[in-house]
Amino acid sequence: MLSYRHGFHAGNHADVLKHVVLVALLRLLMRKDKPIVVVDTHAGAGMYSLEQGFASRNAEFRNGIALLWERSDLPSPVADYLDQVRVANVDGVLRHYPGSPRIALGLLRPQDRLRLFELHSTEGLILARQFAQDGRRVAVTAGDGFAGLKAVLPPQSRRGLVLIDPSYELASDYRAVLAALRDGMQRFATGTYAVWYPLLQRREAIQLPDKLRRAAGADWLDVALQVKAPSPDGPGLHGSGMFIVNPPWKFSEQVHEIMPWLARALAQDAAASFRLDVCET
Ligand SMILES: C[S@@+](CC[C@H](N)C(=O)[O-])C[C@H]1O[C@@H](n2cnc3c(N)ncnc32)[C@H](O)[C@@H]1O
């Protein structure tokens, strides 16, 4: 039984990093006309209210998207991401936050496809209803995204992005992410993979970036954003990272441009910082 609901965290600093990276990756992958397939193995509900329900309880978005909303000095890849959030808030007031499926579909072209997996039954239903009109381009599966990934790789077009964004609610998620990346690379070695990971005072979380680097078997880029000092007593997210395998050309330049600005904009204390490592074989 899954208890994690992404609504509690929608629009927080981790979503901002993840979705800025997602938009930048998609833009670069769509520079060529050839169709791409985007697979979102852990899709969530697709859209979240920031005024009612889960997101309003802890209001994590106040330390995330809300800090960028009024800024006029955004680096262009961040402005591109903000534009996608503005589509969900046409009157200019920040009331809704789009999840990764909505953001991806907002950018995809008619020739592209979106494959969504969501295991939580309620979230899966919300997602399926939301994309019911987009059946030609979007397929929603209520089920395990780790298992489902095997069946959809490689895509026919041999071009695409796999977003792996589990909640890490289960300790087994840390192992499953590595297995999914290794298996995915065997089936679709030229694909781009984006794995979100938490910065937490927990052994599995601390070890995960190194394990991802060893599992990649191709060029990678690892970017992590720490928004505050780790709490001395352990629990709590002090930041997050995105591990990218086969990053598209020019992506690294964009991340170099984004991160200093983002680390300042989302800083919660003087320990805010970022780490960026690139491996090109
Ligand atoms: C971090 S949230 C996803 C957020 C979403 N990708 C976004 O950026 O808007 C993780 C989601 O994965 C779902 N989930 C957990 N285990 C799963 C699994 N094995 N397969 C598919 N979905 C799963 C959870 O119910 C939750 O909605």
Short mmCIF file of all heavy atoms in Angstrom, two decimals, residues 2-7 9 15 18-19 22 40-48 97-103 117-121 123-124 141 143-147 163-170 173 196, ligand 1:
data_model
loop_
_atom_site.label_atom_id
_atom_site.label_comp_id
_atom_site.label_asym_id
_atom_site.label_seq_id
_atom_site.Cartn_x
_atom_site.Cartn_y
_atom_site.Cartn_z
N LEU A 2 0.73 2.09 -1.01
CA LEU A 2 1.55 3.29 -1.10
C LEU A 2 0.89 4.43 -0.35
O LEU A 2 -0.30 4.69 -0.53
CB LEU A 2 1.69 3.70 -2.57
CG LEU A 2 2.42 2.74 -3.51
CD1 LEU A 2 2.23 3.18 -4.95
CD2 LEU A 2 3.89 2.69 -3.16
N SER A 3 1.64 5.14 0.48
CA SER A 3 1.04 6.27 1.18
C SER A 3 1.50 7.61 0.60
O SER A 3 0.90 8.64 0.82
CB SER A 3 1.35 6.22 2.67
OG SER A 3 2.74 6.20 2.85
N TYR A 4 2.59 7.58 -0.19
CA TYR A 4 3.13 8.83 -0.75
C TYR A 4 2.12 9.45 -1.71
O TYR A 4 1.58 8.78 -2.59
CB TYR A 4 4.43 8.52 -1.50
CG TYR A 4 5.05 9.73 -2.15
CD1 TYR A 4 6.02 10.48 -1.50
CD2 TYR A 4 4.67 10.13 -3.44
CE1 TYR A 4 6.59 11.59 -2.10
CE2 TYR A 4 5.23 11.23 -4.05
CZ TYR A 4 6.19 11.95 -3.37
OH TYR A 4 6.75 13.05 -3.97
N ARG A 5 1.86 10.74 -1.53
CA ARG A 5 1.05 11.47 -2.53
C ARG A 5 1.88 12.68 -2.93
O ARG A 5 2.26 13.51 -2.08
CB ARG A 5 -0.28 11.95 -1.91
CG ARG A 5 -1.15 10.84 -1.36
CD ARG A 5 -1.62 9.85 -2.42
NE ARG A 5 -2.56 10.40 -3.38
CZ ARG A 5 -3.89 10.42 -3.23
NH1 ARG A 5 -4.44 9.90 -2.14
NH2 ARG A 5 -4.67 10.92 -4.16
N HIS A 6 2.14 12.79 -4.21
CA HIS A 6 3.04 13.86 -4.65
C HIS A 6 2.45 15.25 -4.39
O HIS A 6 3.19 16.23 -4.27
CB HIS A 6 3.40 13.70 -6.13
CG HIS A 6 4.53 14.61 -6.53
ND1 HIS A 6 5.80 14.47 -6.02
CD2 HIS A 6 4.54 15.71 -7.31
CE1 HIS A 6 6.56 15.44 -6.50
NE2 HIS A 6 5.83 16.20 -7.29
N GLY A 7 1.12 15.30 -4.28
CA GLY A 7 0.47 16.58 -4.00
C GLY A 7 1.05 17.33 -2.80
O GLY A 7 1.11 18.56 -2.80
N HIS A 9 4.00 17.65 -2.04
CA HIS A 9 5.31 18.23 -2.37
C HIS A 9 5.30 19.04 -3.67
O HIS A 9 6.33 19.57 -4.08
CB HIS A 9 6.34 17.10 -2.49
CG HIS A 9 6.28 16.13 -1.35
ND1 HIS A 9 6.69 16.47 -0.08
CD2 HIS A 9 5.78 14.87 -1.26
CE1 HIS A 9 6.49 15.44 0.73
NE2 HIS A 9 5.93 14.46 0.04
N ASP A 15 10.86 19.66 -7.22
CA ASP A 15 10.10 19.71 -8.48
C ASP A 15 10.68 20.77 -9.41
O ASP A 15 10.75 20.58 -10.63
CB ASP A 15 8.62 20.06 -8.21
CG ASP A 15 7.74 18.81 -8.14
OD1 ASP A 15 8.27 17.69 -8.23
OD2 ASP A 15 6.50 18.98 -7.99
N LYS A 18 13.86 19.36 -10.99
CA LYS A 18 13.50 18.26 -11.90
C LYS A 18 12.85 18.78 -13.18
O LYS A 18 13.18 18.37 -14.28
CB LYS A 18 12.52 17.34 -11.14
CG LYS A 18 12.03 16.14 -11.88
CD LYS A 18 10.76 15.54 -11.26
CE LYS A 18 10.60 15.72 -9.80
NZ LYS A 18 9.30 15.26 -9.26
N HIS A 19 11.94 19.73 -13.02
CA HIS A 19 11.17 20.17 -14.19
C HIS A 19 11.94 21.19 -15.05
O HIS A 19 11.73 21.24 -16.25
CB HIS A 19 9.80 20.71 -13.73
CG HIS A 19 8.96 19.63 -13.10
ND1 HIS A 19 8.01 19.87 -12.13
CD2 HIS A 19 8.93 18.28 -13.31
CE1 HIS A 19 7.45 18.72 -11.77
NE2 HIS A 19 7.99 17.75 -12.47
N LEU A 22 13.90 18.80 -17.02
CA LEU A 22 13.03 18.12 -17.99
C LEU A 22 12.78 19.00 -19.21
O LEU A 22 12.89 18.54 -20.36
CB LEU A 22 11.71 17.75 -17.30
CG LEU A 22 10.62 17.13 -18.17
CD1 LEU A 22 11.06 15.76 -18.71
CD2 LEU A 22 9.30 16.98 -17.37
N ASP A 40 7.52 8.28 -18.71
CA ASP A 40 7.55 8.79 -17.33
C ASP A 40 7.13 7.61 -16.45
O ASP A 40 5.94 7.26 -16.39
CB ASP A 40 6.56 9.96 -17.25
CG ASP A 40 6.68 10.77 -15.97
OD1 ASP A 40 7.28 10.28 -15.01
OD2 ASP A 40 6.13 11.90 -15.94
N THR A 41 8.11 6.96 -15.81
CA THR A 41 7.80 5.70 -15.10
C THR A 41 7.01 5.92 -13.81
O THR A 41 6.37 5.00 -13.31
CB THR A 41 9.10 4.94 -14.75
OG1 THR A 41 9.91 5.78 -13.91
CG2 THR A 41 9.87 4.53 -15.98
N HIS A 42 7.08 7.13 -13.26
CA HIS A 42 6.40 7.46 -12.00
C HIS A 42 5.73 8.81 -12.21
O HIS A 42 6.27 9.86 -11.83
CB HIS A 42 7.40 7.52 -10.85
CG HIS A 42 8.04 6.21 -10.53
ND1 HIS A 42 8.93 5.59 -11.37
CD2 HIS A 42 7.92 5.40 -9.44
CE1 HIS A 42 9.32 4.44 -10.83
NE2 HIS A 42 8.72 4.31 -9.65
N ALA A 43 4.56 8.79 -12.83
CA ALA A 43 4.01 10.02 -13.40
C ALA A 43 3.31 10.92 -12.39
O ALA A 43 3.18 12.12 -12.62
CB ALA A 43 3.04 9.66 -14.53
N GLY A 44 2.79 10.36 -11.30
CA GLY A 44 2.01 11.19 -10.36
C GLY A 44 0.63 11.49 -10.92
O GLY A 44 0.14 10.80 -11.82
N ALA A 45 0.01 12.56 -10.43
CA ALA A 45 -1.38 12.88 -10.81
C ALA A 45 -1.45 13.84 -11.99
O ALA A 45 -2.53 14.08 -12.52
CB ALA A 45 -2.12 13.47 -9.61
N GLY A 46 -0.34 14.45 -12.37
CA GLY A 46 -0.33 15.30 -13.57
C GLY A 46 -0.60 16.77 -13.32
O GLY A 46 -0.05 17.62 -13.99
N MET A 47 -1.46 17.09 -12.34
CA MET A 47 -1.76 18.49 -12.04
C MET A 47 -2.16 18.58 -10.56
O MET A 47 -2.82 17.67 -10.05
CB MET A 47 -2.91 18.99 -12.93
CG MET A 47 -3.25 20.45 -12.78
SD MET A 47 -1.92 21.55 -13.36
CE MET A 47 -2.15 21.49 -15.13
N TYR A 48 -1.74 19.66 -9.91
CA TYR A 48 -1.97 19.78 -8.46
C TYR A 48 -2.50 21.16 -8.13
O TYR A 48 -1.99 22.17 -8.64
CB TYR A 48 -0.66 19.54 -7.69
CG TYR A 48 0.00 18.24 -8.08
CD1 TYR A 48 0.94 18.19 -9.11
CD2 TYR A 48 -0.36 17.04 -7.46
CE1 TYR A 48 1.52 16.99 -9.50
CE2 TYR A 48 0.20 15.84 -7.85
CZ TYR A 48 1.14 15.82 -8.87
OH TYR A 48 1.71 14.61 -9.26
N TYR A 97 -0.06 23.63 -9.99
CA TYR A 97 1.28 23.25 -10.41
C TYR A 97 1.19 22.02 -11.32
O TYR A 97 0.61 21.00 -10.94
CB TYR A 97 2.18 22.95 -9.21
CG TYR A 97 3.61 22.77 -9.67
CD1 TYR A 97 4.38 23.88 -9.96
CD2 TYR A 97 4.13 21.51 -9.88
CE1 TYR A 97 5.67 23.73 -10.46
CE2 TYR A 97 5.42 21.35 -10.37
CZ TYR A 97 6.18 22.47 -10.65
OH TYR A 97 7.45 22.33 -11.16
N PRO A 98 1.75 22.12 -12.53
CA PRO A 98 1.70 20.96 -13.44
C PRO A 98 2.79 19.95 -13.11
O PRO A 98 3.94 20.33 -12.86
CB PRO A 98 1.95 21.62 -14.81
CG PRO A 98 2.79 22.83 -14.51
CD PRO A 98 2.43 23.28 -13.10
N GLY A 99 2.44 18.69 -13.12
CA GLY A 99 3.43 17.64 -12.92
C GLY A 99 4.17 17.33 -14.22
O GLY A 99 3.89 17.91 -15.27
N SER A 100 5.09 16.38 -14.12
CA SER A 100 5.94 16.07 -15.29
C SER A 100 5.13 15.68 -16.53
O SER A 100 5.50 16.10 -17.64
CB SER A 100 6.96 14.99 -14.94
OG SER A 100 6.36 13.89 -14.29
N PRO A 101 4.00 14.92 -16.41
CA PRO A 101 3.28 14.57 -17.65
C PRO A 101 2.72 15.79 -18.36
O PRO A 101 2.77 15.90 -19.58
CB PRO A 101 2.13 13.67 -17.15
CG PRO A 101 2.55 13.19 -15.81
CD PRO A 101 3.40 14.26 -15.23
N ARG A 102 2.18 16.72 -17.59
CA ARG A 102 1.60 17.94 -18.19
C ARG A 102 2.68 18.80 -18.83
O ARG A 102 2.53 19.35 -19.91
CB ARG A 102 0.89 18.79 -17.13
CG ARG A 102 -0.51 18.38 -16.87
CD ARG A 102 -1.52 19.37 -17.47
NE ARG A 102 -1.78 19.19 -18.88
CZ ARG A 102 -2.70 18.38 -19.41
NH1 ARG A 102 -3.45 17.66 -18.65
NH2 ARG A 102 -2.86 18.30 -20.71
N ILE A 103 3.80 18.92 -18.11
CA ILE A 103 4.89 19.74 -18.64
C ILE A 103 5.41 19.13 -19.94
O ILE A 103 5.60 19.82 -20.94
CB ILE A 103 6.01 19.89 -17.59
CG1 ILE A 103 5.49 20.75 -16.43
CG2 ILE A 103 7.27 20.48 -18.19
CD1 ILE A 103 6.46 20.91 -15.27
N PHE A 117 3.29 5.88 -16.52
CA PHE A 117 2.99 4.79 -15.58
C PHE A 117 2.74 5.41 -14.21
O PHE A 117 3.48 6.30 -13.78
CB PHE A 117 4.16 3.81 -15.48
CG PHE A 117 4.40 3.06 -16.76
CD1 PHE A 117 5.26 3.57 -17.72
CD2 PHE A 117 3.76 1.86 -17.01
CE1 PHE A 117 5.48 2.89 -18.91
CE2 PHE A 117 3.97 1.17 -18.19
CZ PHE A 117 4.84 1.69 -19.15
N GLU A 118 1.72 4.90 -13.52
CA GLU A 118 1.46 5.35 -12.15
C GLU A 118 0.83 4.19 -11.38
O GLU A 118 -0.17 3.63 -11.81
CB GLU A 118 0.55 6.60 -12.16
CG GLU A 118 0.04 7.05 -10.80
CD GLU A 118 1.16 7.30 -9.76
OE1 GLU A 118 2.14 7.99 -10.06
OE2 GLU A 118 1.02 6.77 -8.64
N LEU A 119 1.43 3.86 -10.24
CA LEU A 119 1.00 2.69 -9.48
C LEU A 119 -0.12 2.99 -8.50
O LEU A 119 -0.96 2.12 -8.22
CB LEU A 119 2.22 2.12 -8.73
CG LEU A 119 2.07 0.77 -8.04
CD1 LEU A 119 1.65 -0.32 -9.03
CD2 LEU A 119 3.39 0.36 -7.39
N HIS A 120 -0.14 4.19 -7.94
CA HIS A 120 -1.17 4.53 -6.95
C HIS A 120 -2.53 4.61 -7.64
O HIS A 120 -2.69 5.37 -8.61
CB HIS A 120 -0.82 5.86 -6.29
CG HIS A 120 -1.63 6.15 -5.06
ND1 HIS A 120 -2.97 6.48 -5.12
CD2 HIS A 120 -1.30 6.16 -3.76
CE1 HIS A 120 -3.41 6.68 -3.90
NE2 HIS A 120 -2.43 6.48 -3.05
N SER A 121 -3.53 3.86 -7.14
CA SER A 121 -4.77 3.73 -7.91
C SER A 121 -5.49 5.08 -8.07
O SER A 121 -5.98 5.39 -9.16
CB SER A 121 -5.69 2.70 -7.27
OG SER A 121 -5.87 3.00 -5.90
N GLU A 123 -4.18 8.22 -7.91
CA GLU A 123 -3.40 9.09 -8.80
C GLU A 123 -3.52 8.60 -10.26
O GLU A 123 -3.64 9.41 -11.18
CB GLU A 123 -1.91 9.08 -8.41
CG GLU A 123 -1.61 9.45 -6.97
CD GLU A 123 -1.81 10.92 -6.65
OE1 GLU A 123 -2.98 11.34 -6.57
OE2 GLU A 123 -0.82 11.62 -6.47
N GLY A 124 -3.50 7.28 -10.42
CA GLY A 124 -3.59 6.70 -11.76
C GLY A 124 -4.91 7.05 -12.43
O GLY A 124 -4.95 7.35 -13.63
N THR A 141 -0.72 3.93 -18.18
CA THR A 141 -0.84 2.58 -17.62
C THR A 141 -0.90 2.70 -16.11
O THR A 141 -0.01 3.30 -15.49
CB THR A 141 0.37 1.71 -18.02
OG1 THR A 141 0.45 1.67 -19.45
CG2 THR A 141 0.23 0.29 -17.49
N GLY A 143 -0.01 1.05 -13.20
CA GLY A 143 0.80 -0.10 -12.83
C GLY A 143 2.22 0.31 -12.54
O GLY A 143 2.56 1.50 -12.49
N ASP A 144 3.06 -0.70 -12.37
CA ASP A 144 4.46 -0.51 -11.96
C ASP A 144 5.30 -0.01 -13.14
O ASP A 144 5.47 -0.73 -14.14
CB ASP A 144 4.97 -1.87 -11.45
CG ASP A 144 6.40 -1.78 -10.96
OD1 ASP A 144 7.02 -0.70 -11.06
OD2 ASP A 144 6.90 -2.80 -10.47
N GLY A 145 5.83 1.17 -12.99
CA GLY A 145 6.64 1.76 -14.06
C GLY A 145 7.97 1.08 -14.25
O GLY A 145 8.52 1.06 -15.37
N PHE A 146 8.54 0.51 -13.18
CA PHE A 146 9.81 -0.20 -13.33
C PHE A 146 9.61 -1.41 -14.24
O PHE A 146 10.41 -1.67 -15.14
CB PHE A 146 10.34 -0.68 -11.97
CG PHE A 146 10.84 0.43 -11.09
CD1 PHE A 146 10.36 0.58 -9.79
CD2 PHE A 146 11.81 1.32 -11.53
CE1 PHE A 146 10.83 1.58 -8.95
CE2 PHE A 146 12.29 2.33 -10.70
CZ PHE A 146 11.80 2.46 -9.41
N ALA A 147 8.52 -2.14 -14.01
CA ALA A 147 8.25 -3.33 -14.83
C ALA A 147 7.81 -2.90 -16.23
O ALA A 147 8.23 -3.50 -17.23
CB ALA A 147 7.17 -4.18 -14.17
N LEU A 163 12.15 9.34 -17.98
CA LEU A 163 12.22 10.00 -16.67
C LEU A 163 11.88 8.96 -15.60
O LEU A 163 10.81 8.34 -15.66
CB LEU A 163 11.22 11.17 -16.62
CG LEU A 163 11.07 11.85 -15.25
CD1 LEU A 163 12.36 12.52 -14.79
CD2 LEU A 163 9.93 12.89 -15.29
N ILE A 164 12.79 8.78 -14.66
CA ILE A 164 12.57 7.81 -13.57
C ILE A 164 12.54 8.62 -12.27
O ILE A 164 13.57 9.13 -11.82
CB ILE A 164 13.68 6.73 -13.54
CG1 ILE A 164 13.79 6.04 -14.90
CG2 ILE A 164 13.39 5.71 -12.44
CD1 ILE A 164 14.89 4.97 -14.99
N ASP A 165 11.35 8.73 -11.71
CA ASP A 165 11.16 9.70 -10.61
C ASP A 165 10.36 9.07 -9.47
O ASP A 165 9.24 9.49 -9.17
CB ASP A 165 10.41 10.92 -11.19
CG ASP A 165 10.13 11.97 -10.14
OD1 ASP A 165 10.88 12.05 -9.14
OD2 ASP A 165 9.14 12.73 -10.32
N PRO A 166 10.93 8.05 -8.83
CA PRO A 166 10.18 7.41 -7.73
C PRO A 166 10.18 8.29 -6.48
O PRO A 166 10.95 9.25 -6.37
CB PRO A 166 10.96 6.12 -7.48
CG PRO A 166 12.31 6.33 -8.03
CD PRO A 166 12.25 7.45 -9.03
N SER A 167 9.33 7.92 -5.54
CA SER A 167 9.25 8.69 -4.29
C SER A 167 10.30 8.22 -3.29
O SER A 167 10.52 8.89 -2.28
CB SER A 167 7.86 8.51 -3.69
OG SER A 167 7.61 7.13 -3.49
N TYR A 168 10.93 7.07 -3.53
CA TYR A 168 11.88 6.46 -2.59
C TYR A 168 11.21 6.23 -1.23
O TYR A 168 11.87 6.22 -0.20
CB TYR A 168 13.16 7.30 -2.45
CG TYR A 168 13.91 7.45 -3.77
CD1 TYR A 168 13.67 8.53 -4.61
CD2 TYR A 168 14.83 6.51 -4.18
CE1 TYR A 168 14.33 8.67 -5.83
CE2 TYR A 168 15.51 6.63 -5.39
CZ TYR A 168 15.25 7.72 -6.20
OH TYR A 168 15.91 7.85 -7.41
N GLU A 169 9.89 6.03 -1.30
CA GLU A 169 9.13 5.69 -0.10
C GLU A 169 9.54 4.31 0.39
O GLU A 169 9.58 4.03 1.58
CB GLU A 169 7.64 5.70 -0.51
CG GLU A 169 6.67 5.36 0.55
CD GLU A 169 5.25 5.25 -0.04
OE1 GLU A 169 5.07 5.41 -1.26
OE2 GLU A 169 4.33 5.00 0.75
N LEU A 170 9.85 3.44 -0.57
CA LEU A 170 10.29 2.08 -0.24
C LEU A 170 11.81 2.01 -0.43
O LEU A 170 12.34 2.54 -1.42
CB LEU A 170 9.66 1.07 -1.21
CG LEU A 170 8.13 1.10 -1.31
CD1 LEU A 170 7.66 0.20 -2.45
CD2 LEU A 170 7.52 0.66 0.02
N ASP A 173 13.18 1.01 -3.74
CA ASP A 173 13.25 1.94 -4.88
C ASP A 173 14.70 2.24 -5.27
O ASP A 173 15.01 2.43 -6.44
CB ASP A 173 12.55 3.27 -4.56
CG ASP A 173 11.02 3.18 -4.72
OD1 ASP A 173 10.54 2.18 -5.28
OD2 ASP A 173 10.34 4.11 -4.27
N TRP A 196 15.69 11.16 -10.99
CA TRP A 196 15.66 12.09 -9.85
C TRP A 196 16.09 11.34 -8.59
O TRP A 196 15.74 10.16 -8.41
CB TRP A 196 14.24 12.64 -9.66
CG TRP A 196 14.17 13.61 -8.51
CD1 TRP A 196 14.44 14.93 -8.56
CD2 TRP A 196 13.84 13.31 -7.14
NE1 TRP A 196 14.31 15.49 -7.29
CE2 TRP A 196 13.95 14.51 -6.41
CE3 TRP A 196 13.50 12.14 -6.46
CZ2 TRP A 196 13.71 14.58 -5.03
CZ3 TRP A 196 13.26 12.21 -5.09
CH2 TRP A 196 13.36 13.42 -4.39
C1 LIG B 1 7.70 11.74 -7.07
S1 LIG B 1 6.12 11.24 -7.58
C2 LIG B 1 6.10 11.57 -9.29
C3 LIG B 1 6.04 13.01 -9.67
C4 LIG B 1 5.98 13.28 -11.15
N1 LIG B 1 6.98 12.52 -11.89
C5 LIG B 1 6.20 14.75 -11.41
O1 LIG B 1 7.36 15.17 -11.58
O2 LIG B 1 5.23 15.49 -11.46
C6 LIG B 1 6.25 9.50 -7.57
C7 LIG B 1 4.99 8.79 -8.02
O3 LIG B 1 5.30 7.43 -8.26
C8 LIG B 1 4.21 6.62 -7.86
N2 LIG B 1 4.76 5.26 -7.71
C9 LIG B 1 5.35 4.68 -6.65
N3 LIG B 1 5.85 3.48 -6.98
C10 LIG B 1 5.59 3.31 -8.30
C11 LIG B 1 5.90 2.30 -9.25
N4 LIG B 1 6.58 1.19 -8.90
N5 LIG B 1 5.50 2.47 -10.54
C12 LIG B 1 4.80 3.57 -10.91
N6 LIG B 1 4.48 4.56 -10.06
C13 LIG B 1 4.88 4.44 -8.79
C14 LIG B 1 3.71 7.30 -6.62
O4 LIG B 1 2.35 6.95 -6.38
C15 LIG B 1 3.88 8.78 -6.99
O5 LIG B 1 2.71 9.29 -7.57
#
